[in-house]
Amino acid sequence: MAFRGGAKRSLGSFLCNRVLNTSYSSSSTCTASAAANGRGFSTWVSSGRSSFAQATEIPTSISLQFANTQCGSALFLRRFSVGTSSSSSSDQMSLIKQLRERTSAPIKDVKAALIDSNWDIEAAQKELRRRGKVLASKKSSRMAAEGLLALAQNESKAAVIELNCETDFVARNDIFQHLALALAKQALLVESSSQLVSGVFHVPSEDLEDLKFNLEHPKVSGETTVQNAITEVAAVMGENVKLRRGIVMSTTSHCVVSTYLHTSPQPGLGRIAGILSLSVEDKNSQLDAIQRVGSQLAMHVVAAKPLFLTKELVSSDALESEREILKSQAESTGKSQMAIDKIVEGRLRKYYEEVVLMEQKFITDDTLTVKKLLENLSTEVGSPVKIESFFRMEVGEGIQRLEASSASENLAQAI
C-alpha cells in the first residue's frame, strides 16, 4: 500500500466510494474475475501521479446493495472501536497511576499485575504484595550496606537502630524512613537485660522481630510484627531491607543524655550517630549548661571517632598491638634502644590523643581537651560533671569486613 503526491481523502472514504460507485473515471480501470471456488476478487488500480493498489475479497453471491450496507457498517464500527479503545486506554492509565500511588511499586510491575488481574485494582494490589514478598525472600541474601540510623529518646534513655538497604535511593524513600523511626521507638520500649554494661546495651534484631506494632503509613499500614513490616517494605522497595542492630543507653535521674545525628534527612534520622550521658553530683545544678555542652560533645564523638573513654580503659590487646607497630617503626631508624623506647612512649601519647575521648582536643576549640572542657563545665554549674558512657555508630560500618572474615564488629563505646 503506498501514497504519493499528498492524498487528502481518508482511506475509509476512498474505499467506500470505490465500492459504492458503479461508474468509473477515465483514469481508473476495474477488472473482476470469478474464481472456481465461487469467490470473486476485485482489484482497483488508479493511474496518474497518485497511485494506490489494494485487493479485497468479496463473495460473488452478495448483492451490491448489501455490499454498500456492509461498507458503511464497517466504517461506523471502526470509528466506534477507535473511540472505545481511546477511552479504555485512558482508564487503564488511571488505574496504573492509582496503584502506583498506593504501593510505590515500579510501573512495569504495576502494569503486569493489573493485566494479570484483568484490571481489578484490588486484586492487582494483593498480587503485587504476593510477588513482592517472594522477591524479597529471594533478595534477602544480597548485601545491604546503605540505609539509615534512627533515634528515639525519652527522659531516661535513648535508642538507636540501623536499618539497611541496598541503595541510598531507597534510604531516601518516605516509607523506608517511616519504618526506621517506628523501629527505633520499638527499641526504646525494650527493657535492659543481662547485657547492660554501664548504661549501654545491645538490642539484638531477633528480640524485636516478633514485637507487634502499628505501622501508620498511608501505603503500608495496619498492625503487624516488626519482621512482617520489614518484609512488606522490602517488597515495595524491590531491595533487600534488614534490621541490622540496635543499641540503647539508659541513665539515672541525675544524668543527661545528649545526642547528635550527622547527615540527617529529617529529625531522628541520620547516617552517623553520637550519644553520650553526662552525670552531675548536684541534682539542682544548671541542666541547660550541661545539655549545651553535652550536645557539643555528642557532635565531637561523631567527628573525632574516639574508641575509649579514658587511658585506663584502653584494652591491653589494642595497646600491645600499637606498641609493637611503633617499636618496629622506631627500630628502622637505627637508633639506640634507649632512644627507641623514648620514641615509642612519645608516639603512644599521640595514640592516646587520637583514640581516648578525655585526651582528645575539643573539635570546636583545639586549645582545650575534653578533660579540660569538663573541668570548666563543673566550675560553671558548681558541681562535678563527668561522662558516664558514650557510643558512636555509622551506617554500614564493618559490613565489608564481616563479609570477608565473618569476624565480629567493633563498636566504639565507653564503659
Side-chain angles (χ1 to χ4, degrees):
M1 184 183 297
F3 290 93
R4 292 185 308 177
K8 297 183 179 179
R9 288 185 298 170
S10 68
L11 178 61
S13 175
F14 181 83
L15 291 177
C16 189
N17 285 341
R18 281 295 184 180
V19 173
L20 295 175
N21 240 336
T22 56
S23 62
Y24 304 95
S25 63
S26 60
S27 62
S28 300
T29 62
C30 176
T31 62
S33 63
N37 59 1
R39 291 183 177 270
F41 296 89
S42 298
T43 304
W44 295 276
V45 180
S46 63
S47 60
R49 185 177 178 184
S50 298
S51 64
F52 169 79
Q54 174 71 53
T56 60
E57 180 179 349
I58 303 175
T60 54
S61 59
I62 301 177
S63 66
L64 180 61
Q65 181 179 0
F66 183 71
N68 294 345
T69 306
Q70 287 289 92
C71 178
S73 300
L75 290 175
F76 172 76
L77 289 174
R78 173 178 171 80
R79 288 171 184 159
F80 179 78
S81 175
V82 170
T84 304
S85 175
S86 175
S87 176
S88 176
S89 176
S90 175
D91 292 342
Q92 291 174 1
M93 289 301 297
S94 177
L95 288 172
I96 291 173
K97 182 179 178 181
Q98 291 178 44
L99 188 54
R100 166 77 172 160
E101 290 174 349
R102 284 191 190 183
T103 63
S104 295
I107 292 179
K108 180 182 70 175
D109 297 341
V110 167
K111 184 176 180 180
L114 282 167
I115 291 174
D116 292 346
S117 304
N118 198 25
W119 299 95
D120 182 338
I121 191 169
E122 298 299 333
Q125 186 170 354
K126 293 179 181 178
E127 176 64 14
L128 272 178
R129 294 180 67 181
R130 186 192 65 79
R131 291 182 184 181
K133 289 180 179 179
V134 172
L135 289 175
S137 64
K138 291 181 179 179
K139 295 177 180 179
S140 61
S141 61
R142 295 182 357 190
M143 182 186 296
E146 293 294 331
L148 286 171
L149 303 178
L151 168 71
Q153 186 176 359
N154 58 27
E155 294 180 356
S156 61
K157 60 183 177 180
V160 178
I161 61 97
E162 180 180 358
L163 186 65
N164 293 125
C165 56
E166 297 177 44
T167 64
D168 61 348
F169 176 78
V170 167
R172 295 193 299 269
N173 185 278
D174 175 62
I175 300 175
F176 183 88
Q177 294 181 2
H178 183 87
L179 174 63
L181 289 171
L183 294 180
K185 293 176 182 177
Q186 291 301 308
L188 193 64
L189 300 177
V190 176
E191 296 296 331
S192 61
S193 62
S194 57
Q195 294 174 306
L196 178 61
V197 181
S198 296
V200 178
F201 65 95
H202 295 256
V203 181
S205 59
E206 296 80 8
D207 292 352
L208 295 173
E209 289 178 351
D210 295 329
L211 293 179
K212 291 186 177 181
F213 72 113
N214 193 0
L215 189 61
E216 297 175 350
H217 189 277
K219 295 179 181 178
V220 183
S221 61
E223 187 177 21
T224 183
T225 64
V226 168
Q227 184 56 51
N228 287 341
I230 293 173
T231 302
E232 186 83 10
V233 172
V236 173
M237 298 294 101
E239 287 191 7
N240 182 20
V241 176
K242 65 178 181 180
L243 175 62
R244 184 183 178 202
R245 54 181 170 167
I247 292 176
V248 173
M249 175 182 287
S250 60
T251 63
T252 58
S253 59
H254 59 283
C255 286
V256 174
V257 177
S258 299
T259 63
Y260 175 75
L261 287 168
H262 186 64
T263 316
S264 178
Q266 63 170 291
L269 295 173
R271 288 188 57 83
I272 310 174
I275 301 182
L276 59 81
S277 62
L278 292 173
S279 66
V280 57
E281 290 186 5
D282 186 358
K283 297 180 180 180
N284 298 321
S285 299
Q286 303 174 27
L287 291 181
D288 291 343
I290 297 174
Q291 289 172 346
R292 170 176 51 82
V293 174
S295 297
Q296 294 174 348
L297 285 173
M299 183 170 60
H300 174 95
V301 167
V302 168
K305 303 179 181 180
L307 299 177
F308 308 97
L309 178 57
T310 64
K311 290 192 294 185
E312 293 74 21
L313 293 175
V314 177
S315 66
S316 58
D317 290 342
L319 190 59
E320 285 302 316
S321 175
E322 188 66 20
R323 190 185 296 275
E324 287 297 323
I325 293 172
L326 295 176
K327 185 177 180 181
S328 176
Q329 292 173 347
E331 287 174 346
S332 65
T333 62
K335 295 183 179 181
S336 65
Q337 187 62 42
M338 184 179 293
I340 290 174
D341 291 341
K342 288 183 179 180
I343 291 173
V344 170
E345 292 304 317
R347 291 180 178 176
L348 275 178
R349 286 194 295 270
K350 183 65 176 177
Y351 172 73
Y352 286 137
E353 292 176 3
E354 292 176 353
V355 301
V356 177
L357 178 58
M358 296 297 288
E359 305 299 321
Q360 289 178 335
K361 292 182 178 180
F362 189 41
I363 57 167
T364 59
D365 185 358
D366 58 7
T367 63
L368 297 174
T369 63
V370 172
K371 182 189 292 184
K372 184 62 176 177
L373 177 69
L374 290 176
E375 291 175 359
N376 294 343
L377 178 61
S378 299
T379 302
E380 181 182 350
V381 300
S383 178
V385 179
K386 65 177 182 179
I387 299 174
E388 290 291 334
S389 57
F390 79 92
F391 69 81
R392 180 186 187 276
M393 187 190 294
E394 185 170 354
V395 170
E397 61 184 351
I399 287 182
Q400 292 290 349
R401 180 174 58 79
L402 284 171
E403 291 289 333
S405 63
S406 299
S408 60
E409 65 186 18
N410 290 324
L411 174 69
Q413 72 173 39
I415 299 177

